[in-house]
Amino acid sequence: MIVAVVVGTIFFSIHASYGASFNCAKAMTWIEKAICSDSQLSALDESLMTSYKKALSNASNENSIKMGQREWLKSVRNTCKDVDCLKQTYTSRITKLNELLAITPKYLSLSGEYERYYQGKPDDSSTITVRELADSQIHLEGNAVWVGNAETGNVTSGILEGSFRLDGNKVHYTDGEEDGCRLTITFSQNALTVDGDNLRCGGLNVDFNGQYRKVGKAH
């Protein structure tokens, strides 16, 4: 905001600074200056910092949250060329951080055996075992089957196995092959969701997509 002040016949422009999550007196980049001079953007910056601190305090893997924030600053926010872009990216990031607040508190381990459920009942076709490792890593072992006709042997199966770094409350699974298995696992309290299975994680018709519930400890 610019306020015009008249002193005699000389006009001065005073740039009003709004609150932000940093000291506006030390703003250097155009992004920092934009935040300090736009009330909505300044409020978004403060809101993001609040959500970020809460997500850190609630996270089972603080390093993953910190890495995600650094990556967002570098690859998303700092690529913006105008204020509208900044407002949109801030809003999206705040939404994602707030989603993290609803999942897995520190005292609740992700480790365990998860079984896929359908319409409130176990469907007995897919299980995933999760083991938490050091440095925000988890190890996955999964098995899924599709039964066309058990009597004729028309049964196919698929597996998941590997260690991956958590991205917030998600794991982006890949078997390392260019055209191989890919899917996303999203953790919530005592549950997980698999989506994005590209149907290359096993035999014909096999997929891991669906809602899973934690049913036991990882063995």
Side-chain angles (χ1 to χ4, degrees):
M1 180 175 71
I2 300 176
V3 180
V5 179
V6 181
V7 180
T9 58
I10 302 175
F11 287 83
F12 294 91
S13 294
I14 301 175
H15 291 261
S17 294
Y18 298 97
S21 66
F22 55 91
N23 187 350
C24 283
K26 297 181 179 181
M28 299 292 292
T29 67
W30 83 265
I31 290 178
E32 292 173 342
K33 292 176 181 178
I35 291 170
C36 291
S37 61
D38 186 287
S39 60
Q40 183 181 358
L41 192 52
S42 180
L44 285 170
D45 185 71
E46 290 184 321
S47 179
L48 182 139
M49 183 54 63
T50 298
S51 295
Y52 173 65
K53 289 179 178 179
K54 288 181 179 179
L56 275 179
S57 66
N58 196 56
S60 58
N61 294 276
E62 292 185 8
N63 288 337
S64 179
I65 302 294
K66 292 177 180 179
M67 288 180 61
Q69 187 75 354
R70 287 195 293 267
E71 183 64 24
W72 174 80
L73 286 168
K74 177 182 177 182
S75 302
V76 181
R77 192 198 75 167
N78 291 353
T79 62
C80 281
K81 304 300 181 183
D82 56 54
V83 170
D84 287 340
C85 174
L86 286 173
K87 290 179 180 178
Q88 181 179 356
T89 56
Y90 263 86
T91 299
S92 297
R93 181 60 180 166
I94 290 169
T95 298
K96 182 171 183 178
L97 287 171
N98 288 342
E99 288 175 350
L100 296 180
L101 294 175
I103 65 105
T104 318
K106 284 185 176 181
Y107 59 80
L108 183 63
S109 172
L110 298 179
S111 296
E113 183 176 340
Y114 296 77
E115 186 172 6
R116 183 161 57 186
Y117 272 64
Y118 179 71
Q119 294 184 345
K121 298 180 180 180
D123 70 3
D124 301 321
S125 66
S126 180
T127 60
I128 297 176
T129 300
V130 178
R131 296 180 178 85
E132 287 189 279
L133 307 175
D135 300 324
S136 301
Q137 296 271 345
I138 65 169
H139 184 77
L140 300 171
E141 294 179 16
N143 292 277
V145 297
W146 174 82
V147 180
N149 190 321
E151 293 182 0
T152 62
N154 186 16
V155 178
T156 55
S157 63
I159 62 171
L160 303 177
E161 186 171 7
S163 298
F164 301 87
R165 180 175 294 277
L166 279 166
D167 177 15
N169 65 327
K170 298 179 183 292
V171 168
H172 304 289
Y173 180 94
T174 174
D175 63 7
E177 299 293 332
E178 183 176 353
D179 297 321
C181 173
R182 283 177 172 77
L183 52 81
T184 299
I185 298 175
T186 304
F187 290 96
S188 55
Q189 189 165 340
N190 291 321
L192 63 82
T193 301
V194 178
D195 59 25
D197 187 324
N198 63 355
L199 301 181
R200 295 177 180 173
C201 302
L204 183 66
N205 297 319
V206 173
D207 76 84
F208 285 87
N209 287 333
Q211 307 289 326
Y212 292 70
R213 298 180 187 178
K214 185 185 286 190
V215 295
K217 296 180 179 180
H219 297 292

